[in-house]
Amino acid sequence: MKFTYSWLLEHLDTDKTFDEIVEKLSMIGLEVEGVEDRSKGLETFKIAEILSAEKHPDADKLKVLKVSDGEKEYDVVCGAPNARAGLKGVFATSGSYIPGLDVTLKPTKIRGVPSEGMMMSEAEMNLSDDHNGIVDLAGDVEVGARAVDVMGLTDPIIEIAITPNRGDCAGVRGIARDLAAAGYGTLKPINTDPVAGTFESPIKINIADTKACPQFAGRYIRGLKNGPSPKWLQDKLLAVGLRPISALVDVTNYFSQGLCRPLHVFDADKLNGNINVRLAKEGETLLALDEKEYKLDSDMTVVCDDTTPHGLGAIMGGEVSGCTDETTNVFLECALFDPIRTAMTGRKLDILSDARYRFERGVDEAAVVDMTEMATRLILELCGGEASELVVAGEEPKWQRTITLRKARVKELTGVDVPEADMVRILDVLGCKLDDQGDSFAVQPPSWRSDIELEACLVEEVIRVYGYEHIEEVSLVRDTNLPEVALSPAQQKRDVARRTLVTRGISEAVTYAFLPEKQARLFGWTDENLRLTNPISTDLEIMRPSLLPNLLAACQRNNDRNMPNGCLFEVGPQFDGDQADQQPVVVAGVRTGQTGPRNWAQSPRRVDVFDAKADVIAVLEAAGAKVDSLQVDPEGAPAHYHPGRSGALKLGPKNTLAYFGELHPGVLTKMGYKGIAVGFEIYLDNIPATKAKKTGALRPLLVLSQLQSVERDFAFVVDSDVATAKIIQSAKTADKKLISDASIFDVYEGDNMEAGKKSVAITVTLQPTTDTLTDEDIQTVSDKIIASVAKNTGGELRA
């Protein structure tokens, strides 16, 4: 969420400094992600006036300008089509750096005519993409003044992170309200007085499904004149990254950003009949304002006229009824839409609009009429025209609820003794209504805070605004009478499985518990009860019937990044059904590519079924299974394994402990995986209970770095009697922090070598832990390796 400091001050009356406000925002849970000073780099640009504009003697599209900055006159060659005598714009003298062009100006001649500076466009100032003409300012601006002052660029931009529950702070007013509650000023009132309508609206509103759209307010405005919005409004939108379009569209964006109230304006002359809010018909299409056509289904809310959809409720309007400069009659929309349906529709169609962002987080459920009145007033002020009487369909939802807040509960949950007067003030400014009942308050949260549902929510609001800094640091004292942490037998098995697989060179992964339907079907999914009703993404809609596909996808991503030899495992639930006893915890793993290090005596081989079987046997034995009693069923593996190259390990005919083998080539192809992969699935809970064995301590596990390792090969010529182990040891000790491994992959003695000499080729692995290696870092380590081997063995780098 971005906003300017001046926009915040339109809602907040405060005597605090800018730096104090920025610091407080993060302290009350509105984390400041950045502050942008738009004036940076533009401080030297001045306002100048074009005194004359003559045609260039040797170029049809250029003009020779005489420019004054109030102190001196300059000759400037300019190609802007709007350059003319009397224009006041932004001027940069020779020696100025132009950020939009990444150049520093210097005196020059253009087609034989001297040019001593530049009249700037917004694109050249890095303010927008507009490079069709130079900046054209009002005629009353002061020549010689700083451009950043005249253009309002000294107004800093603040960007904050909004958590999903704080939809009210997706508008500047919500942020101002939080600051006011924190004692950083007072919230300024806004004018929601009704606008008198002078005629009955010719367009009515019908709602077919009040669950999808509980309330819809509208107003017909006729005889208006659309066009560019005023500079103050354009500046606000540009500052937060929105492109001004027209007065009507800019008003809707202004309300969305400022008051967290998405609106829409239809060109009324392009509507056929009344406004109808309903669910879409299967196969209906909508050409949206982003110029894309979307295919709709019966779960999506559409705003239609009597014949055609003209908008996706809470997401985006339609192109056909969009407003243009020729629009003279409009119908203003202000409505409530179901947040869950809004989120599902947006995900299905892959649309993330400003309206969807706010509606799916929750907007003020009691402000539909008030916002319609405010928007009407601003449209009439900017565009003129005549407003009809208000049209309202549906009803305001029953959002009122009362929560009991025990006064002592704040200290009990937070450890902070917040004075009662501060509790009352904070909740009151946040919009809550309080009824003091002695030891407790009966609290009614405001209509814009649907996230406040429990007593703990109210405690959180109080301590958040009062200040987390009031929470005292308390040392944790261990009670020696408390028992050590105990793991259940099932947890012990999972822990030993993890340790066993890590010691076998397999890395643990954590993947999503859901996956695309196409992949789910490849691994045996058929149960519709495992389909999610509200997935985080449209292609992650099925609870996983196996852990293998997500692990395989992770190996493929590594393969795409030049890490072909993947070894990953995961311990987690597999979903065979929607009942608790149909969700076993499985240890699953995948090996891909080749196994074994590069070696001159033995080439690496591709992974095969026996690698997977060895992993399974190791885990089962460590977990207490009697591996000597296991029976191999060569035909017992599921269909996603390769028949003939897979099997099942069982204890008796009905108790399957694991599946292992090469994955089916057809499955791999449909998954988009290129190559051979083997996998296993181990059901630890099927191991019969046995007495715990006393085992020795496991060696410490390696800490895996998130940074990618780098391999470098070296070939050294050494005396024939030099031990290869000495070369390896010399290479490893060259830089103990970065070098994680070194190994030999080739030894050569032959006709091309001097008598008594041999060539030893090694691979050295560099593993960074803090920063990605640069070319300079790698070269530095390489030089150390060469020097260390030369010093300890007398070896030289082979040419």
Side-chain angles (χ1 to χ4, degrees):
M1 172 65 189
K2 287 185 177 181
F3 57 95
T4 62
Y5 182 51
S6 65
W7 202 342
L8 177 68
L9 296 183
E10 289 181 10
H11 295 275
L12 183 69
D13 186 0
T14 182
D15 58 0
K16 301 294 184 181
T17 66
F18 174 76
D19 290 338
E20 288 175 324
I21 284 178
V22 169
E23 182 179 0
K24 192 62 176 178
L25 284 170
S26 290
M27 294 302 294
I28 59 177
L30 303 177
E31 181 184 358
V32 176
E33 294 193 313
V35 176
E36 179 184 353
D37 181 3
R38 293 181 295 159
S39 67
K40 188 175 182 180
L42 310 178
E43 299 92 336
T44 61
F45 299 162
K46 292 183 177 181
I47 302 300
E49 182 177 6
I50 300 177
L51 303 178
S52 64
E54 306 294 338
K55 184 179 179 301
H56 192 290
D58 197 27
D60 292 338
K61 294 185 178 181
L62 297 179
K63 297 176 184 178
V64 180
L65 311 180
K66 182 71 71 174
V67 175
S68 171
D69 67 357
E71 297 179 358
K72 183 180 176 181
E73 294 183 1
Y74 302 85
D75 292 322
V76 176
V77 176
C78 179
N82 65 332
R84 65 186 186 278
L87 181 146
K88 292 182 179 179
V90 180
F91 179 62
T93 59
S94 295
S96 300
Y97 174 73
I98 311 302
L101 300 177
D102 192 24
V103 298
T104 300
L105 294 181
K106 56 185 179 180
T108 187
K109 286 187 177 181
I110 301 177
R111 294 288 185 95
V113 176
S115 185
E116 303 172 282
M118 175 184 284
M119 293 297 290
M120 306 284 289
S121 69
E122 288 189 355
E124 289 155 350
M125 296 176 71
N126 252 357
L127 298 180
S128 73
D129 296 329
D130 185 3
H131 53 75
N132 294 322
I134 57 178
V135 174
D136 189 349
L137 299 173
D140 59 353
V141 299
E142 179 186 352
V143 174
R146 293 201 316 165
V148 292
D149 295 327
V150 173
M151 299 178 70
L153 300 178
T154 55
D155 187 13
I157 300 170
I158 306 170
E159 183 173 6
I160 63 173
I162 303 292
T163 53
N165 66 311
R166 292 306 307 277
D168 60 306
C169 285
V172 181
R173 188 166 183 80
I175 300 165
R177 184 185 294 109
D178 265 22
L179 287 168
Y184 271 50
T186 56
L187 194 65
K188 295 180 179 179
I190 54 177
N191 183 10
T192 59
D193 292 341
V195 175
T198 59
F199 63 96
E200 183 179 351
S201 172
I203 295 178
K204 309 301 180 186
I205 303 169
N206 302 303
I207 301 177
D209 189 331
T210 55
K211 289 184 179 179
C213 176
Q215 189 177 31
F216 193 116
R219 181 168 251 144
Y220 193 98
I221 305 175
R222 65 190 181 192
L224 55 74
K225 181 174 176 55
N226 195 19
S229 57
K231 185 176 182 302
W232 67 265
L233 179 49
Q234 292 193 34
D235 287 346
K236 275 183 169 52
L237 299 181
L238 285 169
V240 299
L242 295 176
R243 179 173 61 90
I245 298 173
S246 68
L248 290 171
V249 177
D250 293 353
V251 165
T252 64
N253 287 329
Y254 174 68
F255 271 74
S256 181
Q257 296 288 325
L259 298 169
C260 190
R261 167 45 65 181
L263 305 170
H264 186 65
V265 181
F266 299 94
D267 187 325
D269 295 331
K270 298 175 182 177
L271 298 176
N272 182 14
N274 296 317
I275 291 289
N276 299 281
V277 186
R278 58 171 173 82
L279 298 182
K281 300 173 184 176
E282 289 289 341
E284 273 189 314
T285 59
L286 172 72
L287 178 62
L289 285 171
D290 61 0
E291 299 181 351
K292 296 180 181 178
E293 187 170 70
Y294 295 97
K295 186 175 181 180
L296 313 179
D297 65 36
S298 58
D299 290 326
M300 301 176 182
T301 306
V302 288
V303 181
C304 315
D305 59 16
D306 288 342
T307 59
T308 309
H310 285 277
L312 270 170
I315 296 180
M316 188 174 291
E319 178 77 16
V320 173
S321 58
C323 295
T324 65
D325 289 346
E326 289 73 40
T327 297
T328 57
N329 302 308
V330 300
F331 190 80
L332 172 65
E333 168 198 314
C334 183
L336 287 176
F337 295 97
D338 175 33
I340 294 177
R341 193 181 297 273
T342 298
M344 292 178 63
T345 299
R347 288 171 185 166
K348 283 182 181 179
L349 301 179
D350 195 21
I351 302 175
L352 183 56
S353 63
D354 285 343
R356 174 195 162 186
Y357 180 85
R358 287 162 175 80
F359 272 113
E360 69 183 5
R361 284 162 174 77
V363 298
D364 189 347
E365 296 180 310
V368 171
V369 172
D370 286 347
M371 292 295 115
T372 307
E373 301 288 5
M374 289 183 66
T376 301
R377 185 177 296 105
L378 185 55
I379 290 174
L380 294 177
E381 178 184 328
L382 301 184
C383 303
E386 184 181 6
S388 75
E389 297 171 350
L390 192 66
V391 184
V392 181
E395 295 181 351
E396 180 181 310
K398 301 297 182 184
W399 55 267
Q400 294 86 350
R401 59 201 178 280
T402 300
I403 304 170
T404 298
L405 172 62
R406 291 165 286 175
K407 296 177 182 179
R409 197 61 174 153
V410 175
K411 185 175 182 179
E412 290 173 0
L413 291 181
T414 68
V416 179
D417 192 4
V418 181
E420 184 177 323
D422 286 319
M423 289 188 209
V424 172
R425 182 190 59 79
I426 290 170
L427 294 174
D428 179 63
V429 177
L430 288 177
C432 298
K433 294 181 180 179
L434 281 75
D435 180 15
D436 193 336
Q437 297 181 340
D439 293 337
S440 64
F441 294 111
V443 183
Q444 184 182 96
S447 53
W448 55 83
R449 290 299 302 272
S450 59
D451 61 304
I452 299 178
E453 298 177 329
L454 305 170
E455 182 183 37
C457 301
L458 293 170
V459 172
E460 180 186 6
E461 291 301 299
V462 170
I463 191 62
R464 174 181 70 85
V465 176
Y466 185 70
Y468 292 121
E469 65 273 15
H470 292 97
I471 300 176
E472 295 182 3
E473 294 184 7
V474 179
S475 298
L476 181 63
V477 179
R478 179 176 176 81
D479 188 339
T480 55
N481 294 322
L482 291 176
E484 294 292 333
V485 176
L487 298 178
S488 69
Q491 291 171 325
Q492 290 176 345
K493 290 177 182 178
R494 295 165 197 170
D495 183 61
V496 76
R498 287 186 173 94
R499 291 175 175 271
T500 301
L501 290 173
V502 168
T503 58
R504 292 182 61 80
I506 313 180
S507 300
E508 184 173 8
V510 178
T511 68
Y512 284 129
F514 22 80
L515 71 168
E517 181 178 338
K518 284 184 179 180
Q519 295 182 12
R521 291 191 182 279
L522 296 175
F523 287 81
W525 169 77
T526 56
D527 190 350
E528 280 292 332
N529 291 326
L530 297 178
R531 184 185 295 276
L532 297 171
T533 57
N534 188 24
I536 64 170
S537 174
T538 53
D539 60 349
L540 296 174
E541 70 271 38
I542 307 297
M543 300 304 293
R544 61 187 180 192
S546 169
L547 280 67
L548 294 178
N550 285 341
L551 291 173
L552 190 64
C555 287
Q556 179 62 58
R557 287 192 292 272
N558 291 336
N559 192 14
D560 294 340
R561 290 159 179 79
N562 200 31
M563 299 180 69
N565 302 328
C567 299
L568 296 176
F569 78 91
E570 181 173 5
V571 180
Q574 167 184 301
F575 296 88
D576 301 327
D578 61 346
Q579 302 300 313
D581 60 353
Q582 296 177 306
Q583 300 170 15
V585 174
V586 179
V587 180
V590 169
R591 288 183 180 268
T592 63
Q594 295 182 325
T595 182
R598 289 200 302 172
N599 188 279
W600 82 99
Q602 182 178 357
S603 299
R605 60 174 177 80
R606 76 175 193 180
V607 295
D608 58 29
V609 60
F610 299 105
D611 293 308
K613 183 180 179 181
D615 291 330
V616 171
I617 294 293
V619 170
L620 291 177
E621 184 174 24
K626 296 180 179 180
V627 294
D628 293 339
S629 303
L630 294 177
Q631 300 141 20
V632 178
D633 181 357
E635 298 180 356
H640 51 264
Y641 287 95
H642 192 307
R645 299 181 186 177
S646 62
L649 288 174
K650 298 182 176 182
L651 277 177
K654 296 183 179 180
N655 188 10
T656 300
L657 300 189
Y659 300 118
F660 65 92
E662 189 175 307
L663 296 179
H664 197 291
V667 170
L668 295 177
T669 299
K670 292 177 182 178
M671 284 278 296
Y673 185 82
K674 300 176 181 178
I676 301 297
V678 298
F680 58 83
E681 295 162 286
I682 306 171
Y683 300 88
L684 294 177
D685 293 342
N686 290 353
I687 300 175
T690 57
K691 293 183 180 179
K693 294 182 179 179
K694 293 184 179 180
T695 58
L698 293 172
R699 63 184 175 88
L701 301 179
L702 295 175
V703 178
L704 300 177
S705 173
Q706 295 182 349
L707 302 174
Q708 185 168 334
S709 61
V710 178
E711 290 186 353
R712 285 292 181 269
D713 294 345
F714 302 84
F716 294 99
V717 177
V718 297
D719 292 338
S720 297
D721 59 353
V722 172
T724 55
K726 194 172 184 181
I727 300 174
I728 291 295
Q729 184 65 22
S730 300
K732 282 185 174 181
T733 57
D735 191 324
K736 295 181 179 179
K737 290 184 178 180
L738 281 179
I739 298 175
S740 62
D741 193 22
S743 60
I744 295 174
F745 67 87
D746 186 49
V747 176
Y748 174 74
E749 293 179 277
D751 296 336
N752 294 328
M753 300 298 300
E754 288 182 42
K757 298 285 185 179
K758 65 181 177 181
S759 171
V760 179
I762 66 173
T763 292
V764 179
T765 303
L766 309 181
Q767 179 59 70
T769 58
T770 56
D771 297 295
T772 301
L773 295 176
T774 64
D775 290 341
E776 291 78 9
D777 296 333
I778 297 171
Q779 186 58 50
T780 299
V781 178
S782 298
D783 293 341
K784 289 181 180 179
I785 293 170
I786 295 169
S788 179
V789 173
K791 178 181 177 181
N792 295 313
T793 69
E796 297 179 350
L797 196 67
R798 185 176 180 183

PDB file of all heavy atoms in Angstrom, residues 383-402:
ATOM      1  N   CYS A 383     -16.869  17.320 -12.848  1.00  0.00           N
ATOM      2  CA  CYS A 383     -17.405  17.107 -14.195  1.00  0.00           C
ATOM      3  C   CYS A 383     -18.723  17.843 -14.440  1.00  0.00           C
ATOM      4  O   CYS A 383     -19.248  17.804 -15.565  1.00  0.00           O
ATOM      5  CB  CYS A 383     -17.622  15.612 -14.455  1.00  0.00           C
ATOM      6  SG  CYS A 383     -16.146  14.609 -14.255  1.00  0.00           S
ATOM      7  N   GLY A 384     -19.275  18.446 -13.393  1.00  0.00           N
ATOM      8  CA  GLY A 384     -20.576  19.087 -13.571  1.00  0.00           C
ATOM      9  C   GLY A 384     -21.677  18.057 -13.701  1.00  0.00           C
ATOM     10  O   GLY A 384     -21.549  16.909 -13.275  1.00  0.00           O
ATOM     11  N   GLY A 385     -22.794  18.450 -14.258  1.00  0.00           N
ATOM     12  CA  GLY A 385     -23.901  17.530 -14.464  1.00  0.00           C
ATOM     13  C   GLY A 385     -24.968  17.645 -13.391  1.00  0.00           C
ATOM     14  O   GLY A 385     -24.938  18.521 -12.518  1.00  0.00           O
ATOM     15  N   GLU A 386     -25.936  16.752 -13.469  1.00  0.00           N
ATOM     16  CA  GLU A 386     -27.103  16.769 -12.589  1.00  0.00           C
ATOM     17  C   GLU A 386     -27.336  15.355 -12.076  1.00  0.00           C
ATOM     18  O   GLU A 386     -27.354  14.393 -12.853  1.00  0.00           O
ATOM     19  CB  GLU A 386     -28.315  17.266 -13.372  1.00  0.00           C
ATOM     20  CG  GLU A 386     -29.582  17.435 -12.572  1.00  0.00           C
ATOM     21  CD  GLU A 386     -30.746  17.910 -13.438  1.00  0.00           C
ATOM     22  OE1 GLU A 386     -30.580  17.988 -14.678  1.00  0.00           O
ATOM     23  OE2 GLU A 386     -31.822  18.173 -12.878  1.00  0.00           O
ATOM     24  N   ALA A 387     -27.488  15.198 -10.754  1.00  0.00           N
ATOM     25  CA  ALA A 387     -27.603  13.882 -10.129  1.00  0.00           C
ATOM     26  C   ALA A 387     -29.054  13.505  -9.895  1.00  0.00           C
ATOM     27  O   ALA A 387     -29.885  14.347  -9.533  1.00  0.00           O
ATOM     28  CB  ALA A 387     -26.847  13.853  -8.805  1.00  0.00           C
ATOM     29  N   SER A 388     -29.342  12.208 -10.065  1.00  0.00           N
ATOM     30  CA  SER A 388     -30.678  11.690  -9.790  1.00  0.00           C
ATOM     31  C   SER A 388     -30.818  11.399  -8.306  1.00  0.00           C
ATOM     32  O   SER A 388     -29.874  11.524  -7.520  1.00  0.00           O
ATOM     33  CB  SER A 388     -30.916  10.404 -10.582  1.00  0.00           C
ATOM     34  OG  SER A 388     -30.214   9.319  -9.985  1.00  0.00           O
ATOM     35  N   GLU A 389     -31.993  10.960  -7.924  1.00  0.00           N
ATOM     36  CA  GLU A 389     -32.185  10.436  -6.573  1.00  0.00           C
ATOM     37  C   GLU A 389     -31.399   9.129  -6.428  1.00  0.00           C
ATOM     38  O   GLU A 389     -31.148   8.424  -7.415  1.00  0.00           O
ATOM     39  CB  GLU A 389     -33.678  10.181  -6.321  1.00  0.00           C
ATOM     40  CG  GLU A 389     -34.521  11.455  -6.369  1.00  0.00           C
ATOM     41  CD  GLU A 389     -36.010  11.152  -6.324  1.00  0.00           C
ATOM     42  OE1 GLU A 389     -36.369   9.952  -6.448  1.00  0.00           O
ATOM     43  OE2 GLU A 389     -36.803  12.096  -6.198  1.00  0.00           O
ATOM     44  N   LEU A 390     -31.019   8.823  -5.203  1.00  0.00           N
ATOM     45  CA  LEU A 390     -30.234   7.623  -4.938  1.00  0.00           C
ATOM     46  C   LEU A 390     -31.087   6.369  -5.162  1.00  0.00           C
ATOM     47  O   LEU A 390     -32.265   6.335  -4.815  1.00  0.00           O
ATOM     48  CB  LEU A 390     -29.713   7.655  -3.495  1.00  0.00           C
ATOM     49  CG  LEU A 390     -28.646   6.636  -3.121  1.00  0.00           C
ATOM     50  CD1 LEU A 390     -27.363   6.902  -3.886  1.00  0.00           C
ATOM     51  CD2 LEU A 390     -28.376   6.708  -1.620  1.00  0.00           C
ATOM     52  N   VAL A 391     -30.478   5.347  -5.754  1.00  0.00           N
ATOM     53  CA  VAL A 391     -31.138   4.059  -5.963  1.00  0.00           C
ATOM     54  C   VAL A 391     -30.389   3.015  -5.132  1.00  0.00           C
ATOM     55  O   VAL A 391     -29.180   2.868  -5.265  1.00  0.00           O
ATOM     56  CB  VAL A 391     -31.122   3.650  -7.450  1.00  0.00           C
ATOM     57  CG1 VAL A 391     -31.896   2.349  -7.642  1.00  0.00           C
ATOM     58  CG2 VAL A 391     -31.675   4.756  -8.324  1.00  0.00           C
ATOM     59  N   VAL A 392     -31.095   2.297  -4.267  1.00  0.00           N
ATOM     60  CA  VAL A 392     -30.466   1.299  -3.399  1.00  0.00           C
ATOM     61  C   VAL A 392     -31.239  -0.006  -3.485  1.00  0.00           C
ATOM     62  O   VAL A 392     -32.468  -0.020  -3.384  1.00  0.00           O
ATOM     63  CB  VAL A 392     -30.413   1.776  -1.928  1.00  0.00           C
ATOM     64  CG1 VAL A 392     -29.733   0.715  -1.064  1.00  0.00           C
ATOM     65  CG2 VAL A 392     -29.681   3.101  -1.814  1.00  0.00           C
ATOM     66  N   ALA A 393     -30.514  -1.106  -3.686  1.00  0.00           N
ATOM     67  CA  ALA A 393     -31.118  -2.446  -3.669  1.00  0.00           C
ATOM     68  C   ALA A 393     -30.412  -3.274  -2.621  1.00  0.00           C
ATOM     69  O   ALA A 393     -29.225  -3.089  -2.339  1.00  0.00           O
ATOM     70  CB  ALA A 393     -30.998  -3.097  -5.045  1.00  0.00           C
ATOM     71  N   GLY A 394     -31.135  -4.228  -2.028  1.00  0.00           N
ATOM     72  CA  GLY A 394     -30.562  -5.050  -0.977  1.00  0.00           C
ATOM     73  C   GLY A 394     -30.526  -4.309   0.341  1.00  0.00           C
ATOM     74  O   GLY A 394     -31.074  -3.212   0.488  1.00  0.00           O
ATOM     75  N   GLU A 395     -29.878  -4.910   1.321  1.00  0.00           N
ATOM     76  CA  GLU A 395     -29.818  -4.327   2.660  1.00  0.00           C
ATOM     77  C   GLU A 395     -28.398  -4.397   3.207  1.00  0.00           C
ATOM     78  O   GLU A 395     -27.594  -5.252   2.812  1.00  0.00           O
ATOM     79  CB  GLU A 395     -30.753  -5.075   3.621  1.00  0.00           C
ATOM     80  CG  GLU A 395     -32.233  -4.963   3.273  1.00  0.00           C
ATOM     81  CD  GLU A 395     -33.102  -5.713   4.269  1.00  0.00           C
ATOM     82  OE1 GLU A 395     -32.513  -6.449   5.112  1.00  0.00           O
ATOM     83  OE2 GLU A 395     -34.320  -5.565   4.212  1.00  0.00           O
ATOM     84  N   GLU A 396     -28.123  -3.489   4.115  1.00  0.00           N
ATOM     85  CA  GLU A 396     -26.846  -3.519   4.815  1.00  0.00           C
ATOM     86  C   GLU A 396     -26.771  -4.806   5.630  1.00  0.00           C
ATOM     87  O   GLU A 396     -27.699  -5.150   6.355  1.00  0.00           O
ATOM     88  CB  GLU A 396     -26.750  -2.307   5.742  1.00  0.00           C
ATOM     89  CG  GLU A 396     -25.463  -2.219   6.532  1.00  0.00           C
ATOM     90  CD  GLU A 396     -25.465  -1.009   7.440  1.00  0.00           C
ATOM     91  OE1 GLU A 396     -25.768   0.112   6.958  1.00  0.00           O
ATOM     92  OE2 GLU A 396     -25.168  -1.183   8.648  1.00  0.00           O
ATOM     93  N   PRO A 397     -25.679  -5.567   5.519  1.00  0.00           N
ATOM     94  CA  PRO A 397     -25.565  -6.839   6.257  1.00  0.00           C
ATOM     95  C   PRO A 397     -25.619  -6.622   7.767  1.00  0.00           C
ATOM     96  O   PRO A 397     -25.323  -5.531   8.266  1.00  0.00           O
ATOM     97  CB  PRO A 397     -24.198  -7.374   5.823  1.00  0.00           C
ATOM     98  CG  PRO A 397     -23.855  -6.642   4.579  1.00  0.00           C
ATOM     99  CD  PRO A 397     -24.507  -5.297   4.683  1.00  0.00           C
ATOM    100  N   LYS A 398     -25.989  -7.654   8.482  1.00  0.00           N
ATOM    101  CA  LYS A 398     -26.018  -7.598   9.941  1.00  0.00           C
ATOM    102  C   LYS A 398     -24.596  -7.831  10.472  1.00  0.00           C
ATOM    103  O   LYS A 398     -24.222  -8.933  10.869  1.00  0.00           O
ATOM    104  CB  LYS A 398     -26.982  -8.657  10.489  1.00  0.00           C
ATOM    105  CG  LYS A 398     -28.414  -8.516   9.990  1.00  0.00           C
ATOM    106  CD  LYS A 398     -29.039  -7.191  10.431  1.00  0.00           C
ATOM    107  CE  LYS A 398     -30.488  -7.081   9.975  1.00  0.00           C
ATOM    108  NZ  LYS A 398     -31.080  -5.762  10.316  1.00  0.00           N
ATOM    109  N   TRP A 399     -23.820  -6.790  10.463  1.00  0.00           N
ATOM    110  CA  TRP A 399     -22.435  -6.904  10.872  1.00  0.00           C
ATOM    111  C   TRP A 399     -22.250  -6.678  12.371  1.00  0.00           C
ATOM    112  O   TRP A 399     -21.193  -6.998  12.927  1.00  0.00           O
ATOM    113  CB  TRP A 399     -21.579  -5.884  10.116  1.00  0.00           C
ATOM    114  CG  TRP A 399     -22.071  -4.457  10.257  1.00  0.00           C
ATOM    115  CD1 TRP A 399     -22.915  -3.806   9.412  1.00  0.00           C
ATOM    116  CD2 TRP A 399     -21.765  -3.540  11.312  1.00  0.00           C
ATOM    117  NE1 TRP A 399     -23.154  -2.523   9.859  1.00  0.00           N
ATOM    118  CE2 TRP A 399     -22.450  -2.337  11.032  1.00  0.00           C
ATOM    119  CE3 TRP A 399     -20.976  -3.608  12.457  1.00  0.00           C
ATOM    120  CZ2 TRP A 399     -22.384  -1.227  11.868  1.00  0.00           C
ATOM    121  CZ3 TRP A 399     -20.893  -2.506  13.281  1.00  0.00           C
ATOM    122  CH2 TRP A 399     -21.589  -1.328  12.994  1.00  0.00           C
ATOM    123  N   GLN A 400     -23.272  -6.140  13.032  1.00  0.00           N
ATOM    124  CA  GLN A 400     -23.131  -5.803  14.451  1.00  0.00           C
ATOM    125  C   GLN A 400     -22.920  -7.060  15.294  1.00  0.00           C
ATOM    126  O   GLN A 400     -23.578  -8.076  15.100  1.00  0.00           O
ATOM    127  CB  GLN A 400     -24.364  -5.058  14.954  1.00  0.00           C
ATOM    128  CG  GLN A 400     -24.577  -3.694  14.335  1.00  0.00           C
ATOM    129  CD  GLN A 400     -25.349  -3.754  13.019  1.00  0.00           C
ATOM    130  OE1 GLN A 400     -25.568  -4.846  12.470  1.00  0.00           O
ATOM    131  NE2 GLN A 400     -25.764  -2.609  12.498  1.00  0.00           N
ATOM    132  N   ARG A 401     -22.002  -6.992  16.221  1.00  0.00           N
ATOM    133  CA  ARG A 401     -21.732  -8.082  17.152  1.00  0.00           C
ATOM    134  C   ARG A 401     -21.143  -7.468  18.420  1.00  0.00           C
ATOM    135  O   ARG A 401     -20.507  -6.411  18.368  1.00  0.00           O
ATOM    136  CB  ARG A 401     -20.762  -9.102  16.548  1.00  0.00           C
ATOM    137  CG  ARG A 401     -19.427  -8.503  16.167  1.00  0.00           C
ATOM    138  CD  ARG A 401     -18.703  -9.349  15.136  1.00  0.00           C
ATOM    139  NE  ARG A 401     -17.430  -8.751  14.739  1.00  0.00           N
ATOM    140  CZ  ARG A 401     -17.319  -7.764  13.864  1.00  0.00           C
ATOM    141  NH1 ARG A 401     -18.383  -7.255  13.285  1.00  0.00           N
ATOM    142  NH2 ARG A 401     -16.122  -7.276  13.552  1.00  0.00           N
ATOM    143  N   THR A 402     -21.349  -8.118  19.533  1.00  0.00           N
ATOM    144  CA  THR A 402     -20.849  -7.617  20.813  1.00  0.00           C
ATOM    145  C   THR A 402     -19.897  -8.640  21.410  1.00  0.00           C
ATOM    146  O   THR A 402     -20.209  -9.836  21.485  1.00  0.00           O
ATOM    147  CB  THR A 402     -22.007  -7.331  21.784  1.00  0.00           C
ATOM    148  OG1 THR A 402     -22.869  -6.340  21.207  1.00  0.00           O
ATOM    149  CG2 THR A 402     -21.465  -6.805  23.112  1.00  0.00           C
TER     150      THR A 402
END
